[in-house]
Amino acid sequence: MTAFDLNEHPHRRFNPLTREWVLVSPHRTQRPWQGQMEKTSLESVPAYDPSCYMCPGNRRATGAQNPAYTGTFVFDNDYPALLPETPTGTVEQGGLLRAEPERGLCRVVCFSPRHDLTMSTMPIGELRRVVDLWTEQYCQLSALAFIHHVQIFENRGAMMGASNPHPHCQIWATASLPNEPGKETAAQADYSHAHGSCLLCDYLALERELGKRIITANDHFVALVPFWAVWPFEALVTGGRHTTGLDELSGDERDGLADILKRLTARYDRCFEVPFPYSMGFHQRPANRLEHKGWHLHAHFYPPLLRSATVRKFMVGFEMLGTPQRDITPEMAAARLRELPEAT
Ligand SMILES: [Zn+2]
Ligand SMILES: [Zn+2]
Ligand SMILES: [Zn+2]
């Protein structure tokens, strides 16, 4: 009987942040692909697009006109998924049909007046100003009495449903704690009670010791493929110092965050020589004015591409009905990303 080997044998890995499992099937990586191929868009993107609702000076569908901004620009989403005012009340029938009103705010943050730039191609100083704006928005929205969570996220690329290439992200601030941060809040609190330490501080120490899954790092931040990654080239970005939110970062650390985001996204773009699509977002302590000592600021990157610019991973079948599954191991993905150049 051969010994259990993570590089060879089917196994499942535990995600301590969500307390869910992922199935890993490393023996399948040589299997031929006969599935769907995505089209790659090679159209060049102009620096200014007169039909873009985010470019400076342009008019949006609601008639509002963007200022001739030169740095970052934030505005309330013209078609928000959430509204600040809703009627009160609940729906409850037999304990099975339950609904509650949800209040919130949705904003759009343009990273740059340039329609053609991305996190990977923006100058580092400009990316730092985006980090400053995220921090400002987190503080401003967290201070609203009815807000309990602030979700900053970016969908990049048509494959992720982003129809407009203008570099931007969204911020949804909600009255209730969404599912994913809800699971992570409970798991981090339980871990910190049980161990007297922080889950992600301890995890990062372990990953630094092993070095196998680290993609890139600077003095303040590390980008790695987590041991429990579901998406082929999934990454976790987190700081070496324990901070619970963007508002606790020092000026140097904000520079460090801008730097790591640029390094990681530049490697992504080189992975298949194509602008790498992904959904990314920050997880930070809930905005409920309670102390969340065990909460550790981090960002998740979830890119869908699997083996080329045209072959993506689908979450179907067993993954929808059972458990998410991957073939290429997180260690293989980290090694592949680590080998790529990141200089622009
Ligand atoms: Zn634009
Ligand atoms: Zn920590
Ligand atoms: Zn998280």
Side-chain angles (χ1 to χ4, degrees), residues 17 184 283 298 300:
L17 276 173
E184 295 189 0
H283 276 160
H298 59 276
H300 298 281

Side-chain angles (χ1 to χ4, degrees), residues 198-202 239 241-243 293-297:
C198 160
L199 192 162
L200 280 181
C201 280
D202 289 356
R241 188 172 72 87
H242 181 78
T243 53
K293 272 197 303 194
W295 244 102
H296 191 121
L297 166 71

